[in-house]
Amino acid sequence: MTAVQGRVAIVTGGGTGVGAATSKWFAARGWKVLVNYSRSQAEADAVARDCGEDRAFAFKGDVASDADCVAMADAAMKRWGRIDALVNNAGRTQFVQLTDLDALKAEDFHRIYDVNVIGAFQMARAAARHMGEGSAIVNVSSISTATGQGSSIPYVSSKGALNALTVTLARALSPKVRVNAVLPGFIESRWLREGYGDATYEKAKANYVNSVALGRVCTPQEIADAIGFLIEGATLTTGQLLTLDAGLVMGRRR
């Protein structure tokens, strides 16, 4: 895949994990990058520095706020005059046992949906106003929508809604903007480790490795590579949900 000079990407949740790896993926290929964060300022600033000060900058904004989404798109336009790609990576969850239904309240669903679904829509709407022919959006979803397993029921159901949003936006924004999603499995990340705690994280990771055909978990860089493929390479692909689970759905090779 050849480098593309002068194009502009916005990566939400760009300071850590998949977002950080994706921001660096773009910068390494000649893109300009707005690295969005809501809380991880130090990490986002570090990612922007790694990308190159002439190539990236960090921008604080909560995708659950429509005004912040508009401000983010406007900031990219003011700095570089165009938006060619959006990666909706910002996400929120609550770590609750799936069987503990009484631990959940309606507010938990609202809080998670505000970021994972409404935030993705608001950010897509804000960016699409400035996107030209051949632009692309990638939403970061989860394989939990296929397995029914994940950090919590609100999280899993929100990612199912994000998948539906992906297909609908692909239709609504065609033919100018392509919209796809990636569905990672267990990602080796600080986010999951902090959410589960060290012991549960290591157990879940080991269980995953023993359950998938490829015998390993996903890495942020591998997810970033797939996102990049959907942005730069898959120019005939839209409305698709790309599974990146190391073979979880198909099961362990015997």
Side-chain angles (χ1 to χ4, degrees):
M1 196 175 294
T2 58
V4 178
Q5 300 296 326
R7 301 185 77 183
V8 175
I10 296 174
V11 181
T12 68
T16 60
V18 170
T22 303
S23 296
K24 294 175 185 178
W25 188 99
F26 280 119
R29 287 158 178 79
W31 290 65
K32 313 292 188 182
V33 190
L34 185 152
V35 182
N36 161 251
Y37 70 95
S38 61
R39 291 171 294 182
S40 305
Q41 179 175 0
E43 291 92 337
D45 285 340
V47 170
R49 286 194 299 271
D50 288 344
C51 290
E53 292 185 0
D54 62 333
R55 198 174 294 282
F57 69 100
F59 188 93
K60 183 176 183 179
D62 181 356
V63 298
S65 163
D66 188 44
D68 283 7
C69 292
V70 171
M72 204 182 309
D74 287 347
M77 290 298 295
K78 183 177 180 180
R79 178 72 66 94
W80 293 307
R82 60 188 293 171
I83 300 172
D84 301 284
L86 166 66
V87 179
N88 277 317
N89 172 69
R92 179 176 288 174
T93 193
Q94 182 174 345
F95 289 85
V96 178
Q97 289 279 350
L98 297 181
T99 55
D100 192 358
L101 304 186
D102 292 328
L104 296 169
K105 299 179 180 179
E107 291 79 6
D108 300 319
F109 282 83
H110 290 304
R111 183 172 57 87
I112 291 169
Y113 271 66
D114 279 349
V115 172
N116 296 2
V117 185
I118 299 172
F121 168 76
Q122 291 177 160
M123 195 63 241
R125 178 171 60 186
R129 293 175 180 138
H130 307 288
M131 296 176 112
E133 197 77 30
S135 300
I137 296 172
V138 175
N139 297 323
V140 179
S141 184
S142 170
I143 196 60
S144 65
T145 60
T147 65
Q149 296 176 309
S151 52
S152 67
I153 290 175
Y155 175 81
V156 175
S157 61
S158 75
K159 292 301 187 179
L162 181 61
N163 291 350
L165 177 66
T166 299
V167 177
T168 307
L169 283 176
R171 185 177 296 278
L173 298 179
S174 66
K176 185 170 66 172
V177 182
R178 294 181 297 106
V179 186
N180 296 288
V182 293
L183 281 61
F186 189 103
I187 303 175
E188 200 165 39
S189 66
R190 186 186 72 185
W191 186 64
L192 280 180
R193 183 178 289 276
E194 290 178 349
Y196 283 127
D198 286 340
T200 301
Y201 173 87
E202 291 297 339
K203 181 179 179 181
K205 179 179 176 181
N207 287 341
Y208 192 91
V209 168
N210 291 326
S211 301
V212 299
L214 297 184
R216 58 190 178 90
V217 298
C218 312
T219 69
Q221 185 59 57
E222 288 170 320
I223 307 305
D225 289 341
I227 291 169
F229 165 71
L230 289 173
I231 297 287
E232 279 196 351
T235 55
L236 286 178
T237 302
T238 195
Q240 298 301 307
L241 311 175
L242 178 60
T243 298
L244 306 170
D245 67 347
L248 176 66
V249 172
M250 67 180 290
R252 181 71 171 173
R253 181 175 66 85
R254 302 302 178 188

